[in-house]
Amino acid sequence: MTDQAAGTAGMTLTERPEPSAAINDVIVEVHASGFVPDEGAWPSTWVDRAGRDRTPSILGHELAGVVTALGYGTTGLSVGQRVLGVSDWHRDGSLAEYVAIEARNLAPLPGDVDFTVGASLPISGLTAWQGLFPHGGLQSGQTVLAHGAAGAVGTMVTQLAREAGAYVIGTGRAADRQKALEFGAHEFVDLDSDTLEDVGGVDLVFDVIGGAIQQRSAALIRAGGTLVTVTGPTPVRPADGRTVDFVVEADPAGLSEIVRRVRDGRLRTNIGDIAPLDGAIAALTPTQRRTGKIIIRMRS
């Protein structure tokens, strides 16, 4: 990408040199890449940590593939190993045939988990996992209000919270109701026509929306509860609780927990469209609303 104003519509498919592995890096032959729709709005897509322009940039920060080379000092991984993970926000991403990535950002991908499934897990799965447990401190018997419950993150939140013994109330648009319930929500609130306040008190709000919905949700949190948000710093605080805003971090141990649940059938992925690399631009600039994860498949 070179044009911030154009967003994903300004992407082009082009030849780039194969990356080299720095200290503690590996090179991964990418088989499938996940995509977060608002990556084009992230400052890290356009500038490095020092604020210097780093375009043209390669999007995509979720990947599944095979290690093809190790940088100096790299330990814990081997050439030929199947892996999945999250690439650094300020480095070129995974919408490419090869990517250079720090070894600490990767986890093993078992042979019985398809690359397409693996690429759908890192950001969505870890966002849900970190928001619910390290940040949210979720306990069995608590009630969770999961906004965007039919989305890539929301379906993960719903399933992980329910497995942990929580009662899950999902929200979204009317068209999202069936999908949210199929992924395990006990109840569903249509934010366009239902009254959010009717849900009563909850212990944890998982917010992916922000704005007025976030503010109204904070008022629902019981004493000692938590508002967890991925929408950035917010002045909203529950009257007798806390707010945590966070950015998902690479976490091989957490990712392995997520993969383990996928393998034994406790966790289902929410994949929307799958497209080849030469169809990525069309897939990443949809003409209609989508709720599942977009996956770009590099290799069959």
Side-chain angles (χ1 to χ4, degrees):
M1 289 183 68
T2 58
D3 186 348
Q4 186 169 4
T8 54
M11 288 191 302
T12 57
L13 187 62
T14 187
E15 292 285 340
R16 292 281 298 272
E18 188 172 324
S20 57
I23 295 174
N24 297 322
D25 272 359
V26 301
I27 301 300
V28 175
E29 179 186 68
V30 181
H31 283 242
S33 172
F35 180 74
V36 178
D38 60 355
E39 281 186 35
W42 299 352
S44 56
T45 297
W46 306 103
V47 297
D48 64 16
R49 285 185 169 84
R52 298 174 298 228
D53 179 86
R54 71 175 195 87
T55 58
S57 56
I58 299 173
L59 294 183
H61 292 281
E62 297 171 280
L63 68 136
V66 176
V67 175
T68 59
L70 306 178
Y72 179 79
T74 299
T75 59
L77 295 172
S78 58
V79 172
Q81 185 173 1
R82 301 171 94 250
V83 292
L84 76 165
V86 181
S87 66
D88 186 276
W89 312 126
H90 289 86
R91 296 177 65 172
D92 281 339
S94 54
L95 287 176
E97 294 182 307
Y98 294 90
V99 64
I101 181 172
E102 289 184 87
R104 65 180 181 176
N105 288 11
L106 298 169
L109 179 67
D112 57 355
V113 179
D114 185 80
F115 288 115
T116 301
V117 172
S120 73
L121 298 173
I123 291 180
S124 299
L126 285 176
T127 298
W129 181 270
Q130 293 169 9
L132 288 172
F133 303 117
H135 296 305
L138 182 65
Q139 301 293 320
S140 178
Q142 293 186 328
T143 298
V144 174
L145 181 63
H147 288 308
V153 173
T155 50
M156 290 287 179
V157 171
T158 297
Q159 293 175 90
L160 290 171
R162 181 158 180 161
E163 184 204 15
Y167 186 86
V168 182
I169 304 169
T171 80
R173 297 178 179 177
D176 298 331
R177 180 183 300 273
Q178 189 57 39
K179 187 171 188 179
L181 295 175
E182 288 175 354
F183 272 92
H186 294 90
E187 297 179 33
F188 182 81
V189 176
D190 175 358
L191 294 176
D192 291 327
S193 60
D194 297 333
T195 302
L196 180 60
E197 287 71 16
D198 287 348
V199 305
V202 301
D203 300 288
L204 188 150
V205 171
F206 202 115
D207 170 51
V208 297
I209 299 174
I213 293 297
Q214 181 189 83
Q215 295 177 15
R216 292 166 61 191
S217 300
L220 304 176
I221 294 175
R222 296 173 179 142
T226 305
L227 169 66
V228 174
T229 181
V230 295
T231 63
T234 171
V236 177
R237 296 286 185 276
D240 194 12
R242 64 193 183 108
T243 296
V244 177
D245 70 87
F246 77 102
V247 176
V248 64
E249 298 180 352
D251 175 11
L255 199 49
S256 292
E257 288 289 337
I258 292 164
V259 171
R260 184 163 61 87
R261 285 162 171 76
V262 170
R263 294 183 76 195
D264 63 22
R266 286 180 288 161
L267 190 64
R268 289 191 294 133
T269 57
N270 179 10
I271 297 175
D273 291 330
I274 302 173
L277 181 57
D278 60 8
I281 296 173
L284 301 179
T285 52
T287 57
Q288 58 186 10
R289 179 173 176 260
R290 298 174 183 175
T291 57
K293 173 71 69 174
I294 301 170
I295 301 295
I296 305 302
R297 185 91 187 194
M298 309 299 173
R299 293 167 174 83
S300 58

